[in-house]
């Protein structure tokens, strides 16, 4: 149950307070949002419709595309609405809901990237046992586990944040409801919320990141010590390159935002970084996978030819 508070709505101050830029930014971010939905939607459609892509790697890629669409939809539509609105308000319940789904989808994506790295490790280092280890049932279990853990992780934050007392300013210096800006507006002690953010979210983010790095360490070690053909080495590394680029794009801004103390960065800095992982990364992911993955490009061409 939500805490009784004198604040019934919050005002999202957005990306900028310069009114002349609002229509321009609306067009820019609307175009990007269409690109996110179209690009990730195309990958999702290709993975589902093409039998040649019914493998663990592309099953997880389909999950990633679904997450990217949902992740952006949590923040971008409200941002677009506020570009054209004078009263940039969001209800208390709407704010907590946005916070919940943002952390639900974000933490799920972090864990999914680790699962995708583990999949590449098994495929490259244990190719003869790959189909046995990464069978269909296990892939579904691994993907489902990331979604379930992400949901309950976000539920913890949304419940704890909703029970805070907001009795002062209701102006959020951000374009969406996130934990750190809300903690700054809360009255009373927020040490427990800050501890949960640093410990629980930090453990999920850094644990997933370390598992991803460890998987790639073993992949590189395995390739250099067991592969004697430069062609095979190049082919194996190229299959990992797309995923590794996505990992860097996702983790770099997230780690910077949630690991450093709030006082160490300005509000403007936080907003720019947030745009990186909520807008830029989801729109670049499908480009990275289609431009660097021959199988996805061939499948896309086959789908276009069938439609024509």
């Amino acid at each position: 149950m939500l805490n009784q508070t004198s604040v019934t709505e919050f005002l999202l101050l957005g990306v900028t307070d310069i009114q002349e830029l609002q229509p321009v930014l609306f067009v820019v971010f609307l175009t990007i949002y269409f690109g996110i939905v179209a690009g990730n939607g195309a990958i999702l459609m290709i993975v589902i419709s093409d039998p040649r892509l019914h493998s663990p790697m592309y099953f997880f890629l389909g999950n990633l595309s679904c997450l990217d669409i949902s992740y952006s939809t949590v923040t971008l539509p409200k941002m677009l609405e506020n570009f054209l609105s004078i009263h940039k308000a969001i209800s208390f319940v709407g704010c907590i809901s946005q916070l919940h789904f943002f952390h639900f989808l974000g933490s799920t994506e972090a864990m999914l990237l680790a699962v995708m790295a583990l999949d590449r490790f098994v495929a490259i280092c244990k190719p003869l046992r790959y189909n046995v280890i990464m069978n269909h049932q296990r892939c579904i279990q691994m993907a489902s586990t990331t979604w379930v853990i992400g949901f309950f992780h976000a539920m913890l934050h949304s419940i704890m944040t909703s029970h805070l007392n907001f009795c002062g300013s209701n102006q959020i210096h951000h374009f969406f409801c996130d934990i750190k800006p809300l903690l700054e507006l809360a009255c009373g002690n927020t040490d427990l919320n800050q501890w949960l953010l640093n410990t629980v979210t930090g453990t999920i983010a850094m644990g997933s990141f370390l598992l991803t790095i460890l998987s790639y360490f073993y992949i590189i070690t395995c390739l250099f010590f067991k592969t004697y053909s430069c062609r095979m080495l190049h082919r194996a590394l190229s299959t990992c390159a797309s995923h590794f680029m996505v990992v860097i794009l996702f983790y770099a801004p997230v780690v910077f935002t949630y690991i450093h103390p709030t006082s160490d960065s300005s509000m403007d800095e936080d907003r720019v970084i947030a745009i990186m992982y909520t807008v830029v990364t989801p729109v670049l992911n499908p480009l990275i996978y289609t431009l660097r993955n021959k199988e996805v490009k061939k499948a896309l061409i086959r789908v276009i030819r069938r439609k024509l």
Side-chain angles (χ1 to χ4, degrees):
M1 186 175 179
L2 295 180
N3 187 34
Q4 295 297 320
T5 174
S6 59
V7 174
T8 58
E9 66 177 21
F10 293 99
L11 298 178
L12 295 170
L13 299 185
V15 179
T16 179
D17 55 0
I18 303 174
Q19 293 300 319
E20 291 77 11
L21 286 177
Q22 305 286 339
V24 177
L25 291 174
F26 174 82
V27 174
V28 170
F29 283 103
L30 181 63
T31 304
I32 292 173
Y33 183 57
F34 281 145
I36 292 170
V37 175
N40 287 287
I43 287 181
L44 195 57
M45 179 189 67
I46 292 167
V47 169
I48 293 172
S49 62
D50 197 320
R52 301 181 195 184
L53 299 185
H54 290 178
S55 65
M57 176 181 173
Y58 296 106
F59 169 74
F60 294 129
L61 178 57
N63 274 263
L64 181 65
S65 294
C66 183
L67 278 169
D68 279 338
I69 293 172
S70 305
Y71 195 46
S72 299
T73 302
V74 169
T75 56
L76 272 174
K78 187 62 182 176
M79 182 204 287
L80 292 170
E81 178 191 330
N82 287 343
F83 279 138
L84 304 179
S85 174
I86 297 174
H87 188 60
K88 307 175 190 298
I90 184 170
S91 68
F92 186 85
V93 174
C95 187
I96 297 299
S97 299
Q98 190 180 55
L99 179 153
H100 171 78
F101 283 102
F102 177 78
H103 281 271
F104 163 39
L105 298 165
S107 57
T108 301
E109 183 161 339
M111 290 181 286
L112 184 67
L113 289 173
V115 170
M116 293 174 75
L118 187 62
D119 169 68
R120 291 298 84 209
F121 162 71
V122 177
I124 293 171
C125 299
K126 301 181 184 295
L128 299 179
R129 299 182 59 199
Y130 179 67
N131 291 329
V132 176
I133 297 173
M134 300 301 293
N135 58 64
H136 183 65
Q137 184 179 0
R138 184 160 294 154
C139 288
I140 292 175
Q141 289 173 346
M142 293 171 76
S144 300
T145 301
T146 63
W147 286 83
V148 171
I149 294 174
F151 179 84
F152 283 105
H153 159 251
M155 183 65 75
L156 175 67
H157 283 306
S158 57
I159 290 174
M160 293 302 296
T161 307
S162 69
H163 279 78
L164 291 172
N165 187 28
F166 298 93
C167 56
S169 172
N170 68 339
Q171 295 185 345
I172 299 176
H173 294 269
H174 218 308
F175 59 89
F176 68 94
C177 290
D178 199 5
I179 295 173
K180 288 176 73 175
L182 284 172
L183 291 183
E184 293 174 11
L185 302 181
C187 304
N189 195 308
T190 61
D191 289 345
L192 178 58
N193 299 76
Q194 191 66 52
W195 180 84
L196 288 172
L197 181 64
N198 293 335
T199 306
V200 180
T201 305
T203 300
I204 289 176
M206 295 310 296
S208 301
F209 180 70
L210 290 174
L211 181 59
T212 303
I213 295 299
L214 188 63
S215 297
Y216 276 104
F217 172 77
Y218 279 114
I219 286 171
I220 293 170
T221 303
C222 177
L223 287 173
F224 277 103
F225 284 98
K226 295 184 180 180
T227 304
Y228 303 101
S229 168
C230 291
R231 184 179 178 182
M232 287 179 64
L233 179 64
H234 179 266
R235 184 179 177 183
L237 288 174
S238 66
T239 62
C240 300
S242 300
H243 179 256
F244 194 67
M245 288 172 67
V246 170
V247 168
I248 293 172
L249 282 171
F250 179 82
Y251 277 107
V254 170
V255 169
F256 185 84
T257 300
Y258 290 102
I259 298 303
H260 77 287
T262 306
S263 59
D264 285 353
S265 70
S266 67
M267 295 292 180
D268 291 336
E269 225 174 16
D270 282 343
R271 282 189 289 238
V272 171
I273 294 167
I275 288 172
M276 282 294 297
Y277 60 78
T278 59
V279 180
V280 177
T281 301
V283 80
L284 287 179
N285 284 355
L287 289 174
I288 291 169
Y289 277 109
T290 52
L291 291 176
R292 295 191 59 86
N293 192 302
K294 292 180 180 179
E295 289 183 351
V296 173
K297 283 194 286 188
K298 288 178 182 177
L300 181 60
I301 293 169
R302 287 195 295 269
V303 169
I304 293 171
R305 284 175 179 172
R306 283 202 299 268
K307 296 294 182 182
L308 296 175

